[in-house]
Amino acid sequence: DTGVSQNPRHKITKRGQNVTFRCDPISEHNRLYWYRQTLGQGPEFLTYFQNEAQLEKSRLLSDRFSAERPKGSFSTLEIQRTEQGDSAMYLCASSPTGSIGLYGYTFGSGTRLTVV
Amino acid sequence: QQQVKQSPQSLIVQKGGISIINCAYENTAFDYFPWYQQFPGKGPALLIAIRPDVSEKKEGRFTISFNKSAKQFSLHIMDSQPGDSATYFCAASRNYQLIWGAGTKLIIKP
């Protein structure tokens, strides 16, 4: 297990199209997170899974965004009817149970979305 | 509502110098204060973290200083090297969540 894997690395899509990203976390980690990051900003929390249960979703997230984590393994993030404002780096992270401050997130390298 | 404020936004340091990045927080319910390092095209990676009942933690050339009464903490990078050039984020943790600072872009000049 070499870390958190995200696919694709880059995605260019036309406004109005749907896109789906995949994240494969570290296999021993039961927590999974999606973040969004724009240039020059810190990561912005989107959603959090404990195993297969989605326990929190940011209030900033519109209903065009949906995430799943079937069977508590990999996760997908779908954006419907993309808008130019959705252009960002989408980061997935995983962590073991326990203090997140101590153990930290392990981030993937992200999927860079460009909406044209 | 920004709960962790980070400064400066960018920093240029000569090779061999000391890089200092500062953060301040507003909520007293945080349990750890980590620092993350991010290189271009990569996700952030945990660098070092400190508990609020400890005033200083050192790992190699990286040191966190923590002032609980002032609600401030800082990252010091000693003998800064060009390979340290990256964006640094301070954060505060509460349960499973991290509250992030806005980041500091550090450039180490050879």
Side-chain angles (χ1 to χ4, degrees), chain B residues 12 24-25 37 49 51 53 55 57 63 70 77 82 88 90 92 107-108 110:
Chain B
I12 299 174
Y25 63 98
Q37 179 188 55
R51 285 176 7 208
D53 58 347
S55 60
K57 183 173 181 180
T63 300
I77 306 174
Y88 292 81
C90 64
I107 297 172
I108 307 300

Side-chain angles (χ1 to χ4, degrees), chain B residues 55-70:
Chain B
S55 60
E56 186 176 281
K57 183 173 181 180
K58 184 176 180 180
E59 288 186 1
R61 296 183 295 109
F62 299 91
T63 300
I64 301 178
S65 297
F66 189 83
N67 186 330
K68 190 173 183 178
S69 60

Side-chain angles (χ1 to χ4, degrees), chain B residues 14-30:
Chain B
Q14 288 293 130
K15 179 183 173 182
I18 302 173
S19 303
I20 302 174
I21 304 170
N22 300 299
C23 285
Y25 63 98
E26 299 172 0
N27 189 314
T28 57
F30 298 122

Side-chain angles (χ1 to χ4, degrees), chain A residues 9 37 42 56 99 105 107, chain B residues 32 36 38 41 44 89 96-97:
Chain A
R9 289 297 310 277
Q37 188 177 27
E56 186 167 345
S99 170
Y105 293 160
F107 280 93
Chain B
Y32 273 91
Y36 280 76
Q38 186 176 26
F89 294 96
Y96 57 85
Q97 268 217 37

Side-chain angles (χ1 to χ4, degrees), chain A residues 9 33 35 37 40-43 45 48 56 99-102 104-105 107-109, chain B residues 31-32 34 36 38 41-44 46 49 89 93 95-98 100-102:
Chain A
R9 289 297 310 277
Y33 315 80
Y35 277 84
Q37 188 177 27
Q41 298 296 317
F45 172 78
Y48 157 63
E56 186 167 345
S99 170
I100 198 61
L102 176 62
Y105 293 160
F107 280 93
S109 293
Chain B
D31 58 0
Y32 273 91
Y36 280 76
Q38 186 176 26
K42 299 290 186 183
L46 178 64
F89 294 96
S93 71
N95 299 323
Y96 57 85
Q97 268 217 37
L98 285 178
W100 297 81

